[in-house]
Amino acid sequence: MRARVTVTLKAGVLDPQGQAITGSLKSLGFSGVSAVRQGKVFDLELGETDPAEARLSLAAMCEKLLANTVIENYAIEIV
Amino acid sequence: MRARVTVTLKAGVLDPQGQAITGSLKSLGFSGVSAVRQGKVFDLELGETDPAEARLSLAAMCEKLLANTVIENYAIEIV
């Protein structure tokens, strides 16, 4: 089973990397871009066959390793 | 208009970061994880109102800055 975990910064958390990308895009001529926020995506290959079990296991992985839940949100998608 | 760009490594491109995460998850007890590949996600706020125009503009941003198209694929989603 394949799954995708998307980790993004919570609203209000400063994202200097995103600000740098916004600036770079503007200087490349993309003036319509008002904000960029960067996050991470993890594509996982799991042995689990039950989607509900897989979700539980993925949530535990996010809490323990993949996301810093103080400043980041995570979304789990079974694909 | 908001858009999400997901940038992932092409198949066959070595992903040492993903391998390190796989190892860490296994040592944390998640033995069912056989592979992890890490990518990036960009959430953009655009002034553009036409979705087709926005897609064209986003593809140009990916080609010029957001993705290294030699080793990475990108996917554009209007949200």
Side-chain angles (χ1 to χ4, degrees), chain A residues 4 6-8 21 24-25 28 30 32-47 57 60-61 64-66, chain B residues 4 6-8 21 24-25 28 30 32-47 57 60-61 64-66:
Chain A
R4 170 165 281 187
T6 308
V7 175
T8 49
I21 296 165
S24 300
L25 286 172
L28 282 170
F30 299 105
V33 180
S34 56
V36 180
R37 284 179 79 77
Q38 185 172 355
K40 284 172 280 188
V41 64
F42 301 97
D43 288 318
L44 296 98
E45 194 77 55
L46 302 169
S57 172
M61 290 178 209
K64 283 192 185 161
L65 182 75
L66 301 180
Chain B
R4 170 165 281 187
T6 308
V7 175
T8 50
I21 296 165
S24 299
L25 286 173
L28 283 170
F30 299 105
V33 180
S34 55
V36 180
R37 285 178 79 76
Q38 185 172 352
K40 284 171 281 187
V41 64
F42 303 96
D43 288 318
L44 297 99
E45 195 76 57
L46 302 170
S57 172
M61 290 179 209
K64 284 194 186 162
L65 182 75
L66 301 180

Side-chain angles (χ1 to χ4, degrees), chain A residues 3-75:
Chain A
R4 170 165 281 187
V5 171
T6 308
V7 175
T8 49
L9 282 172
K10 288 186 179 175
V13 177
L14 195 68
D15 180 8
Q17 205 169 358
Q19 289 172 350
I21 296 165
T22 311
S24 300
L25 286 172
K26 281 186 177 163
S27 67
L28 282 170
F30 299 105
S31 54
V33 180
S34 56
V36 180
R37 284 179 79 77
Q38 185 172 355
K40 284 172 280 188
V41 64
F42 301 97
D43 288 318
L44 296 98
E45 194 77 55
L46 302 169
E48 193 62 68
T49 51
D50 175 26
E53 285 289 327
R55 264 178 199 281
L56 280 177
S57 172
L58 286 162
M61 290 178 209
C62 289
E63 296 286 339
K64 283 192 185 161
L65 182 75
L66 301 180
N68 175 353
T69 53
V70 177
I71 55 165
E72 292 172 328
N73 291 321
Y74 60 85

